[in-house]
Amino acid sequence: MVSVRTGLHRLARTADGARSVMGRALVDAGEAAGYAARTFASPAGLRGLVLESAWLAAHVALYPVGLAGETIRPRTHYRTDDLDPVQRSFVCGDVEAAGTPVLLIHGIMDNRSVFTVFRRALRKRGFGAVLAINYSLLTDDLRSAARAVGEHVDRLREATGADKVHIVGHSLGGVIARYYVQRLGGSEFVDSLVTLGSPHTGTNTAYLLPTPLARQLRPGSEVMAELAGPAPDCTTRFLAVWSRMDQMVVPQRNARLRHPDLDVTELELDDVGHLALPVDPRTVHAVVTGLASRGELPIHPFRQRRRRRERLAATQGERSSPAS
């Protein structure tokens, strides 16, 4: 009788815990939905919605093409004569920096065709070795996918003779790449990692799927706890691009990368949907410019203006507060 009562108490506690988690997820989802509704109603939000819809249609058409893999075809020289004068003026003067190989990793249920626009911009800026890889749609373990990324990095380095590579990951691809860099020693071989709409602290949309991979992408999962752990030896530069209109990362702030041991620059957007992040002109320009330089990865002017407003508000608050 005692054992039955104990079992019932444990079952009740488990049910309470599950209700608490789901309740928090529903609250976050509600807040995100409310914010998204306000965003979509703005002129910038409508622009983002149009871009998202247009790219969705184009991506559906390109998706079959992206199912096939590709081979590494590094360029042996760099040319700028096919660029117009404005584009040519932006080309990085450091050919070695622009010559660093770039590995592109798509998101869940997607393929390399999502980087059609992005890879063209990279090649125009002088990047000779740009490889977009596909991983299995049946991937059910983020750690295994991260180890596979390490194998792709090794092959790319061997084929090009480069010491390091850049990685750009969209959505899940960014989290997979981060796990490789942060937990599997990949920072030794990755100069910069750019994440586009990646759920760095999980996403509540993962509760909609019962798969092992989805469970790893939920806030508070074991994988998320590993990524939140210390990483004192990680030397890779990070650029985390996130949007307040992201409909897949919920809440949207979970696409921000905040870690005391990581060198992170943030690009915040208000009016870009999840799928359109790799084709948004501002995103493409900021990322490609950053990768083609040896300095700090750039912060988009919108973010700089936002920070100036925050500093101004703080200064005015200090002036208006009474002296102690």
Side-chain angles (χ1 to χ4, degrees), residues 78 94-102 125-129 160 162 164 166 291:
Y78 304 94
D94 190 334
V95 177
E96 183 181 353
T100 302
V102 183
R125 290 298 297 268
F127 287 94
T160 60
K164 292 192 173 187
H166 299 309
L291 295 183

Side-chain angles (χ1 to χ4, degrees), residues 72-154:
I72 303 172
R73 298 175 182 175
R75 288 182 179 176
T76 56
H77 60 280
Y78 304 94
R79 302 183 60 178
T80 62
D81 51 297
D82 60 339
L83 305 181
D84 61 50
V86 175
Q87 291 175 321
R88 194 179 300 124
S89 67
F90 284 115
V91 172
C92 151
D94 190 334
V95 177
E96 183 181 353
T100 302
V102 183
L103 186 67
L104 307 175
I105 308 175
H106 63 79
I108 193 169
M109 300 300 292
D110 211 335
N111 63 39
R112 64 186 182 87
S113 62
V114 74
F115 289 111
T116 300
V117 173
F118 208 98
R119 66 180 302 139
R120 185 179 300 116
L122 286 168
R123 289 198 176 279
K124 283 187 175 183
R125 290 298 297 268
F127 287 94
V130 181
L131 177 66
I133 62 172
N134 285 338
Y135 56 85
S136 174
L137 296 178
L138 302 179
T139 298
D140 63 357
D141 181 56
L142 191 146
R143 301 180 185 91
S144 298
R147 286 191 287 272
V149 166
E151 296 172 2
H152 284 292
V153 170
D154 291 341

Side-chain angles (χ1 to χ4, degrees), residues 262-323:
L262 302 181
D263 178 10
V264 182
T265 300
E266 186 177 286
L267 171 55
E268 174 188 335
L269 300 169
D270 275 352
D271 54 357
V272 185
H274 185 78
L275 186 62
L277 279 168
V279 299
D280 178 73
R282 296 161 300 175
T283 303
V284 174
H285 174 74
V287 174
V288 174
T289 300
L291 295 183
S293 68
R294 291 187 177 275
E296 180 182 354
L297 289 169
I299 300 177
H300 191 268
F302 170 81
R303 183 61 179 169
Q304 292 173 338
R305 290 196 300 270
R306 183 182 179 89
R307 286 182 173 178
R308 283 197 293 268
R309 289 198 299 268
E310 291 173 350
R311 287 196 297 268
L312 179 60
T315 302
Q316 291 175 342
E318 291 175 358
R319 290 176 179 174
S320 60
S321 61

Side-chain angles (χ1 to χ4, degrees), residues 150-308:
E151 296 172 2
H152 284 292
V153 170
D154 291 341
R155 284 196 290 269
L156 186 55
R157 291 175 55 244
E158 182 180 359
T160 60
D163 294 327
K164 292 192 173 187
V165 305
H166 299 309
I167 297 181
V168 179
H170 178 231
S171 193
L172 172 62
V175 183
I176 292 174
R178 180 186 167 196
Y179 194 95
Y180 163 67
V181 166
Q182 189 177 328
R183 302 292 299 178
L184 301 180
S187 64
E188 180 180 355
F189 310 113
V190 179
D191 181 82
S192 304
L193 170 57
V194 178
T195 66
L196 309 175
S198 298
H200 288 293
T201 51
T203 172
N204 289 330
T205 55
Y207 286 102
L208 300 176
L209 297 175
T211 64
L213 179 60
R215 286 193 287 271
Q216 292 179 339
L217 292 176
R218 294 172 184 173
S221 71
E222 185 177 329
V223 168
M224 293 298 134
E226 289 181 45
L227 291 174
D233 300 324
C234 186
T235 58
T236 298
R237 300 183 304 163
F238 290 82
L239 173 59
V241 182
W242 70 287
S243 173
R244 293 183 178 274
M245 206 179 84
D246 195 315
Q247 69 274 28
M248 295 301 295
V249 180
V250 180
Q252 289 83 2
R253 62 178 177 272
N254 284 14
R256 307 176 79 172
L257 178 51
R258 301 295 176 87
H259 194 293
D261 295 331
L262 302 181
D263 178 10
V264 182
T265 300
E266 186 177 286
L267 171 55
E268 174 188 335
L269 300 169
D270 275 352
D271 54 357
V272 185
H274 185 78
L275 186 62
L277 279 168
V279 299
D280 178 73
R282 296 161 300 175
T283 303
V284 174
H285 174 74
V287 174
V288 174
T289 300
L291 295 183
S293 68
R294 291 187 177 275
E296 180 182 354
L297 289 169
I299 300 177
H300 191 268
F302 170 81
R303 183 61 179 169
Q304 292 173 338
R305 290 196 300 270
R306 183 182 179 89
R307 286 182 173 178
R308 283 197 293 268

Side-chain angles (χ1 to χ4, degrees), residues 28-60:
D28 287 341
E31 292 176 352
Y35 184 88
R38 294 191 299 272
T39 300
F40 286 135
S42 68
L46 292 175
R47 169 198 168 277
L49 186 60
V50 170
L51 176 62
E52 182 84 350
S53 301
W55 175 237
L56 175 61
H59 189 42
V60 169

